[in-house]
Amino acid sequence: MQRFGMSRREFMKTAALGGAGLALWGCKPEPDAPTAPVDSEAIVVGSGFGGAVSALRLGLKGVQTTVLERGRRWELSPNYDTFTHGINFDKRTMWLRDRVVLPFIPQGINFDIERYTGLLDVVEFSNMKVYSGAGVGGGSLVYGGMTVMPRAQEFNEIFGDLAAYSEMVPYYQRVQRMLNAVPFDQNPYFQAFKDSGYWEFTFRCAEDVETTRSVNPTLRYQYIPQAYQWDVIYKELIGEIPKSALIGELIFGNNSGAKNSLDLTYLRQAEATGKVVVHPFHKVESIGRDAEKRYTLDVSIINDRGEVVDTRTLRCKYLFLGAGSMGTSRLLLKAKREGTLKDLNDEVGKGWGSNGNGMFMRQSLPKPTGEKQATPPVIAVTDFDNPYGPVIAECAQYPLGFECNCLLYLGLGVHTKRGEYRYEPGAANDGLVLDWPDDGNEESRQGIRHMGRQLNDAAGGSFDTDKFPDEVSKEFTYHPLGGAVMGKATDKYGRVKNYDRLYVTDGAAIPGNTACSNPSWTIAAIAERNLERILAEDF
Ligand code: FAE
């Protein structure tokens, strides 16, 4: 599948032939990337889903916009080696860490790395590890591409009168078109992929659901839209290009250009408007407002080891916060605490949720699951009538390269408990603290465990309690949400209360849960809907 009439790699080739490629690949653009201008009409902080949607819509409206991103820009190399290969970890793997920190520890892998501005960030709070992406494209650089739309029932329960499901559908569709997210079974190479053996674990996952339906007919599986270019993966399959998506290059970056990450979709289109400039290695430390009611941002300009090489104070009329649940909440809490935006209300920091993440592994399965288990995840098991609440679980990759007779699942569910961020100057994690009850995920974990048990009982296998001692994980999330929730810290459209022209556009605005779905599609769709309103009424 191609975007904008040209595949990602073809675009790179064309640019190179035209000379522009020298600036696009194989080079060392940062930290020599230009410093952001002091004055901008609009500034967007962060270039993940909320930030990228904001940047494009502002650019198309003709608003001069500066995007500030703490991470680096990752350009595809013609040698297919931009990112680390599979699980041969190196400095590119993690954001400013000496060691790789994963949700669980596979054996025999070197975890020591050089400290560098790598891709995957993990913040270790007292009882919760929170993962996110860093770099131009934010979480899309590390995400699995799973583009899941919630059902109306769960969406309406979580969002209430903040946004009507029927109103949201066109925005979901718009995002799907932008990311070219097509379900696995609707891609033209489906049969070839099926025959290749690369997706054996996926079909085993489906087969086990069918078997389990004899005891629980409400269990189903569905192929979900995937933000990948299937034609590029097909080229990997037939040997036209080196393998990348097929061999597990996903969380730590995709070298073949198959993943439709935001740097190649929303942000590329935003930059093409000529109105938007993205500045990597610009970390926003604090925000405030000057006497002319322009927003001010204290920014550290860092090098590729994360060391501060310069500092600047930037100004703008309109400020869009898209630094993710943690980044945006931290900036707001710090501004409230230090009095630089003292009228922020007491809802700032509240409404945090893990999206009900609970990972489990089924092991000792009677049938093979395939040596490869490395392709992008494409299937979700659903149980919306689960007695503990609605649950979905996605068959994730487990790219170790040997037959393990095992399947790894990431479960998601609805939970009603919420946590709260606080800002404590001098504390670890840049002063950000998360208060989260130990049993915060319990509702969704019960539902996920119930689903796993039914699969084991009916189709064989058992929970791998070496990896997850309590059968289903509770101590990490890939899906942090909340901290500046719509309708509480902001109005229904992300306008921060008591501050004109200040907006929250990312996962911080979401009320702690995206209703039994991975969050990226909902974050982007809400951002599309909110930006439309803001651009029509505030500009
Ligand atoms: P996000 O995408 O995190 O972007 C925030 C950006 O702000 C980042 O680029 C940061 O580097 C940058 N930033 C932060 N602080 C600052 C600062 N002070 N100054 C400048 N820049 C800053 O935010 N979701 C799915 O829907 N499907 C999946 O398959 C999926 N897989 C995932 C796999 C992994 C391993 C992880 C970690 C997450 C996954 N997610 C998935 C979740 C998804 O990536 C996440 O919900 C969104 O990326 C959140 O979007 P935001 O716009 O909130």
Side-chain angles (χ1 to χ4, degrees), residues 57-78:
R57 297 304 156 203
L58 285 160
L60 289 174
K61 175 88 176 176
V63 179
Q64 183 261 319
T65 303
T66 297
V67 179
L68 304 175
E69 166 57 51
R70 66 178 171 161
R72 63 178 305 133
R73 197 190 277 269
W74 296 87
E75 298 291 0
L76 278 185
S77 142

mmCIF file of all heavy atoms in Angstrom, residues 57-78:
data_model
loop_
_atom_site.group_PDB
_atom_site.id
_atom_site.type_symbol
_atom_site.label_atom_id
_atom_site.label_comp_id
_atom_site.label_asym_id
_atom_site.label_seq_id
_atom_site.Cartn_x
_atom_site.Cartn_y
_atom_site.Cartn_z
ATOM 1 N N ARG A 57 -3.213 20.442 11.189
ATOM 2 C CA ARG A 57 -4.407 21.302 11.049
ATOM 3 C C ARG A 57 -4.026 22.788 11.140
ATOM 4 O O ARG A 57 -4.595 23.628 10.435
ATOM 5 C CB ARG A 57 -5.465 20.926 12.090
ATOM 6 C CG ARG A 57 -5.989 19.497 11.928
ATOM 7 C CD ARG A 57 -6.553 19.217 10.538
ATOM 8 N NE ARG A 57 -6.509 17.772 10.228
ATOM 9 C CZ ARG A 57 -6.510 17.273 9.010
ATOM 10 N NH1 ARG A 57 -6.556 18.054 7.945
ATOM 11 N NH2 ARG A 57 -6.470 15.972 8.817
ATOM 12 N N LEU A 58 -3.064 23.118 11.990
ATOM 13 C CA LEU A 58 -2.601 24.517 12.067
ATOM 14 C C LEU A 58 -1.934 24.917 10.754
ATOM 15 O O LEU A 58 -2.183 26.000 10.214
ATOM 16 C CB LEU A 58 -1.605 24.664 13.226
ATOM 17 C CG LEU A 58 -2.237 24.668 14.630
ATOM 18 C CD1 LEU A 58 -1.199 24.332 15.688
ATOM 19 C CD2 LEU A 58 -2.882 26.024 14.926
ATOM 20 N N GLY A 59 -1.113 24.027 10.225
ATOM 21 C CA GLY A 59 -0.423 24.332 8.972
ATOM 22 C C GLY A 59 -1.407 24.563 7.835
ATOM 23 O O GLY A 59 -1.260 25.510 7.051
ATOM 24 N N LEU A 60 -2.399 23.705 7.746
ATOM 25 C CA LEU A 60 -3.383 23.853 6.659
ATOM 26 C C LEU A 60 -4.208 25.125 6.812
ATOM 27 O O LEU A 60 -4.692 25.688 5.839
ATOM 28 C CB LEU A 60 -4.301 22.624 6.619
ATOM 29 C CG LEU A 60 -3.635 21.333 6.116
ATOM 30 C CD1 LEU A 60 -4.579 20.141 6.261
ATOM 31 C CD2 LEU A 60 -3.171 21.479 4.668
ATOM 32 N N LYS A 61 -4.341 25.578 8.039
ATOM 33 C CA LYS A 61 -5.075 26.834 8.277
ATOM 34 C C LYS A 61 -4.187 28.037 7.959
ATOM 35 O O LYS A 61 -4.637 29.174 7.939
ATOM 36 C CB LYS A 61 -5.493 26.858 9.756
ATOM 37 C CG LYS A 61 -6.155 28.100 10.253
ATOM 38 C CD LYS A 61 -7.654 28.055 10.059
ATOM 39 C CE LYS A 61 -8.288 29.303 10.671
ATOM 40 N NZ LYS A 61 -9.718 29.371 10.442
ATOM 41 N N GLY A 62 -2.892 27.786 7.722
ATOM 42 C CA GLY A 62 -1.979 28.884 7.384
ATOM 43 C C GLY A 62 -1.359 29.538 8.597
ATOM 44 O O GLY A 62 -0.821 30.648 8.519
ATOM 45 N N VAL A 63 -1.389 28.847 9.740
ATOM 46 C CA VAL A 63 -0.827 29.415 10.970
ATOM 47 C C VAL A 63 0.657 29.046 11.063
ATOM 48 O O VAL A 63 1.013 27.868 10.968
ATOM 49 C CB VAL A 63 -1.574 28.853 12.207
ATOM 50 C CG1 VAL A 63 -0.982 29.433 13.493
ATOM 51 C CG2 VAL A 63 -3.071 29.134 12.111
ATOM 52 N N GLN A 64 1.494 30.037 11.251
ATOM 53 C CA GLN A 64 2.938 29.769 11.386
ATOM 54 C C GLN A 64 3.166 29.023 12.707
ATOM 55 O O GLN A 64 2.854 29.520 13.791
ATOM 56 C CB GLN A 64 3.715 31.089 11.332
ATOM 57 C CG GLN A 64 5.221 30.921 11.384
ATOM 58 C CD GLN A 64 5.770 31.151 12.786
ATOM 59 O OE1 GLN A 64 5.335 32.068 13.470
ATOM 60 N NE2 GLN A 64 6.702 30.309 13.210
ATOM 61 N N THR A 65 3.682 27.803 12.587
ATOM 62 C CA THR A 65 3.701 26.890 13.736
ATOM 63 C C THR A 65 5.074 26.282 13.943
ATOM 64 O O THR A 65 5.714 25.811 13.003
ATOM 65 C CB THR A 65 2.669 25.744 13.496
ATOM 66 O OG1 THR A 65 1.385 26.332 13.293
ATOM 67 C CG2 THR A 65 2.616 24.785 14.679
ATOM 68 N N THR A 66 5.493 26.277 15.190
ATOM 69 C CA THR A 66 6.762 25.648 15.582
ATOM 70 C C THR A 66 6.433 24.424 16.426
ATOM 71 O O THR A 66 5.685 24.528 17.399
ATOM 72 C CB THR A 66 7.591 26.648 16.411
ATOM 73 O OG1 THR A 66 7.914 27.768 15.582
ATOM 74 C CG2 THR A 66 8.865 26.013 16.924
ATOM 75 N N VAL A 67 6.981 23.276 16.038
ATOM 76 C CA VAL A 67 6.794 22.059 16.828
ATOM 77 C C VAL A 67 8.094 21.784 17.584
ATOM 78 O O VAL A 67 9.163 21.736 16.975
ATOM 79 C CB VAL A 67 6.437 20.845 15.937
ATOM 80 C CG1 VAL A 67 6.259 19.586 16.788
ATOM 81 C CG2 VAL A 67 5.173 21.116 15.124
ATOM 82 N N LEU A 68 7.999 21.646 18.890
ATOM 83 C CA LEU A 68 9.179 21.376 19.719
ATOM 84 C C LEU A 68 9.118 19.937 20.191
ATOM 85 O O LEU A 68 8.161 19.530 20.856
ATOM 86 C CB LEU A 68 9.195 22.318 20.938
ATOM 87 C CG LEU A 68 9.138 23.812 20.613
ATOM 88 C CD1 LEU A 68 9.043 24.631 21.903
ATOM 89 C CD2 LEU A 68 10.348 24.240 19.787
ATOM 90 N N GLU A 69 10.130 19.160 19.861
ATOM 91 C CA GLU A 69 10.163 17.733 20.210
ATOM 92 C C GLU A 69 11.491 17.442 20.922
ATOM 93 O O GLU A 69 12.554 17.767 20.396
ATOM 94 C CB GLU A 69 10.011 16.890 18.930
ATOM 95 C CG GLU A 69 10.351 15.419 19.077
ATOM 96 C CD GLU A 69 9.553 14.683 20.154
ATOM 97 O OE1 GLU A 69 8.313 14.784 20.156
ATOM 98 O OE2 GLU A 69 10.191 14.026 20.984
ATOM 99 N N ARG A 70 11.404 16.787 22.083
ATOM 100 C CA ARG A 70 12.631 16.527 22.854
ATOM 101 C C ARG A 70 13.535 15.496 22.157
ATOM 102 O O ARG A 70 14.755 15.523 22.308
ATOM 103 C CB ARG A 70 12.289 16.034 24.260
ATOM 104 C CG ARG A 70 11.621 14.693 24.258
ATOM 105 C CD ARG A 70 11.304 14.129 25.636
ATOM 106 N NE ARG A 70 10.474 12.947 25.444
ATOM 107 C CZ ARG A 70 10.302 12.000 26.347
ATOM 108 N NH1 ARG A 70 10.851 12.094 27.518
ATOM 109 N NH2 ARG A 70 9.543 10.966 26.067
ATOM 110 N N GLY A 71 12.942 14.558 21.422
ATOM 111 C CA GLY A 71 13.714 13.466 20.824
ATOM 112 C C GLY A 71 14.294 13.827 19.473
ATOM 113 O O GLY A 71 14.135 14.939 18.967
ATOM 114 N N ARG A 72 14.965 12.850 18.865
ATOM 115 C CA ARG A 72 15.615 13.088 17.591
ATOM 116 C C ARG A 72 14.693 12.746 16.429
ATOM 117 O O ARG A 72 13.630 12.166 16.609
ATOM 118 C CB ARG A 72 16.887 12.273 17.482
ATOM 119 C CG ARG A 72 16.678 10.767 17.501
ATOM 120 C CD ARG A 72 17.995 10.033 17.349
ATOM 121 N NE ARG A 72 18.663 10.476 16.151
ATOM 122 C CZ ARG A 72 19.958 10.823 16.097
ATOM 123 N NH1 ARG A 72 20.716 10.745 17.161
ATOM 124 N NH2 ARG A 72 20.492 11.230 14.968
ATOM 125 N N ARG A 73 15.131 13.113 15.233
ATOM 126 C CA ARG A 73 14.416 12.688 14.026
ATOM 127 C C ARG A 73 15.112 11.437 13.507
ATOM 128 O O ARG A 73 16.334 11.393 13.417
ATOM 129 C CB ARG A 73 14.456 13.795 12.974
ATOM 130 C CG ARG A 73 13.437 13.626 11.875
ATOM 131 C CD ARG A 73 13.709 14.620 10.771
ATOM 132 N NE ARG A 73 13.159 15.940 11.002
ATOM 133 C CZ ARG A 73 11.951 16.341 10.620
ATOM 134 N NH1 ARG A 73 11.135 15.506 10.017
ATOM 135 N NH2 ARG A 73 11.547 17.572 10.823
ATOM 136 N N TRP A 74 14.321 10.432 13.181
ATOM 137 C CA TRP A 74 14.872 9.163 12.698
ATOM 138 C C TRP A 74 14.618 9.059 11.212
ATOM 139 O O TRP A 74 13.477 8.883 10.783
ATOM 140 C CB TRP A 74 14.203 7.993 13.430
ATOM 141 C CG TRP A 74 14.483 7.999 14.893
ATOM 142 C CD1 TRP A 74 13.766 8.670 15.853
ATOM 143 C CD2 TRP A 74 15.563 7.357 15.574
ATOM 144 N NE1 TRP A 74 14.338 8.471 17.088
ATOM 145 C CE2 TRP A 74 15.447 7.661 16.952
ATOM 146 C CE3 TRP A 74 16.619 6.548 15.166
ATOM 147 C CZ2 TRP A 74 16.330 7.195 17.906
ATOM 148 C CZ3 TRP A 74 17.506 6.076 16.124
ATOM 149 C CH2 TRP A 74 17.370 6.398 17.478
ATOM 150 N N GLU A 75 15.699 9.195 10.420
ATOM 151 C CA GLU A 75 15.552 9.108 8.967
ATOM 152 C C GLU A 75 15.890 7.691 8.519
ATOM 153 O O GLU A 75 16.866 7.108 8.996
ATOM 154 C CB GLU A 75 16.507 10.091 8.274
ATOM 155 C CG GLU A 75 16.248 11.550 8.596
ATOM 156 C CD GLU A 75 14.942 12.065 8.014
ATOM 157 O OE1 GLU A 75 14.226 11.289 7.349
ATOM 158 O OE2 GLU A 75 14.644 13.252 8.219
ATOM 159 N N LEU A 76 15.144 7.171 7.576
ATOM 160 C CA LEU A 76 15.420 5.817 7.083
ATOM 161 C C LEU A 76 16.734 5.776 6.318
ATOM 162 O O LEU A 76 16.970 6.604 5.437
ATOM 163 C CB LEU A 76 14.308 5.367 6.158
ATOM 164 C CG LEU A 76 13.066 4.816 6.833
ATOM 165 C CD1 LEU A 76 12.114 4.291 5.798
ATOM 166 C CD2 LEU A 76 13.421 3.731 7.832
ATOM 167 N N SER A 77 17.533 4.802 6.645
ATOM 168 C CA SER A 77 18.809 4.660 5.951
ATOM 169 C C SER A 77 18.634 3.714 4.766
ATOM 170 O O SER A 77 17.903 2.723 4.850
ATOM 171 C CB SER A 77 19.823 4.093 6.942
ATOM 172 O OG SER A 77 20.668 3.180 6.306
ATOM 173 N N PRO A 78 19.334 3.951 3.637
ATOM 174 C CA PRO A 78 19.252 3.027 2.503
ATOM 175 C C PRO A 78 19.832 1.660 2.857
ATOM 176 O O PRO A 78 19.620 0.685 2.154
ATOM 177 C CB PRO A 78 20.074 3.713 1.412
ATOM 178 C CG PRO A 78 20.935 4.690 2.117
ATOM 179 C CD PRO A 78 20.241 5.076 3.376
#
